[in-house]
Amino acid sequence: MELLDFSDELLKREPQELDFEKDNAKEFCDKLFKRMKELGGVGLSANQVGFDKKVFVFGDGKELTRYIINPTIIAIGDETVSMKEGCLSLPGVFLMVRRPTEVTLRYYDTDGNEVVEQFLDLAARVVLHEYDHMIGQNFTQRVSKLKLDRAIKAMKKKVTKKVRSDVRKQLEANNV
């Protein structure tokens, strides 16, 4: 389960629904959640790691863990808030994204049972971020080109600074 390149075509289209007859939903979601934690994320969509499945997972593994299969948004609240977001598929880029603070989702659990659940605040943000992956979109499409260009420039500057620092440390360690 390796992260796909951000430009991969799988991330630009709506994935296929998970087929409960063919796929072991629990095993697949457990593996996806484990990979999310290994990557240091709070959410991960199946298509981000090369699986053409309409599935995402999120949570901390303690107080909140959700396996979301074949989701549909059925309601979105009116209140919105801007917050910094990042994405495992585009490391180092962080953007201020305005999103609703409330979303109600219809999805299936790993046993194939339909669930309707309302998510608030940070959970709503994560759900909406991951849901974007379910419709072939990503968080960079939620901001202006100018904001995106600035974020990419800032990320490149940080990388350059880190590389210079690492080279300097190696030179010093070798008394050069």
Side-chain angles (χ1 to χ4, degrees):
M1 285 192 168
E2 294 304 314
L3 283 172
L4 296 181
D5 184 82
F6 195 69
S7 63
D8 194 286
E9 286 302 312
L10 187 57
L11 297 174
K12 297 178 182 179
R13 62 178 169 79
E14 187 173 327
Q16 300 293 311
E17 289 199 351
L18 181 130
D19 183 341
F20 285 93
E21 298 295 318
K22 294 179 182 175
D23 300 307
N24 183 329
K26 173 82 167 103
E27 183 180 315
F28 180 74
C29 288
D30 283 345
K31 288 179 182 177
L32 191 61
F33 195 86
K34 180 180 181 214
R35 185 65 179 135
M36 177 199 77
K37 297 305 288 177
E38 290 169 354
L39 293 167
V42 295
L44 184 64
S45 295
N47 58 346
Q48 287 179 274
V49 289
F51 291 91
D52 189 14
K53 303 286 182 203
K54 205 169 191 178
V55 175
F56 66 87
V57 298
F58 74 98
D60 60 10
K62 297 176 182 105
E63 293 179 29
L64 178 65
T65 299
R66 289 294 183 281
Y67 294 171
I68 308 291
I69 301 169
N70 303 335
T72 303
I73 291 176
I74 57 175
I76 294 179
D78 293 328
E79 185 181 341
T80 62
V81 73
S82 286
M83 230 173 123
K84 193 178 276 192
E85 281 187 30
C87 184
L88 292 171
S89 294
L90 195 59
V93 175
F94 297 93
L95 301 166
M96 291 299 289
V97 180
R98 180 168 292 282
R99 291 199 188 265
T101 59
E102 179 182 327
V103 61
T104 304
L105 207 61
R106 176 182 298 122
Y107 65 93
Y108 295 89
D109 65 16
T110 56
D111 294 322
N113 300 311
E114 185 177 288
V115 178
V116 174
E117 187 171 4
Q118 180 183 54
F119 298 96
L120 303 172
D121 304 319
L122 184 58
R125 176 168 297 276
V126 174
V127 164
L128 290 166
H129 177 103
E130 297 306 328
Y131 190 84
D132 279 350
H133 291 297
M134 301 293 94
I135 58 174
Q137 295 188 353
N138 63 68
F139 79 128
T140 66
Q141 294 167 300
R142 302 276 178 202
V143 300
S144 70
K145 182 173 176 359
L146 178 64
K147 283 184 181 180
L148 178 58
D149 289 346
R150 284 182 183 164
I152 290 170
K153 184 178 178 180
M155 183 262 308
K156 287 179 179 178
K157 187 176 180 179
K158 284 181 185 175
V159 168
T160 300
K161 187 175 181 179
K162 173 86 169 102
V163 168
R164 285 184 182 150
S165 173
D166 290 350
V167 168
R168 192 174 302 115
K169 288 177 185 174
Q170 286 178 351
L171 290 172
E172 289 171 357
N174 294 318
N175 294 323
V176 177

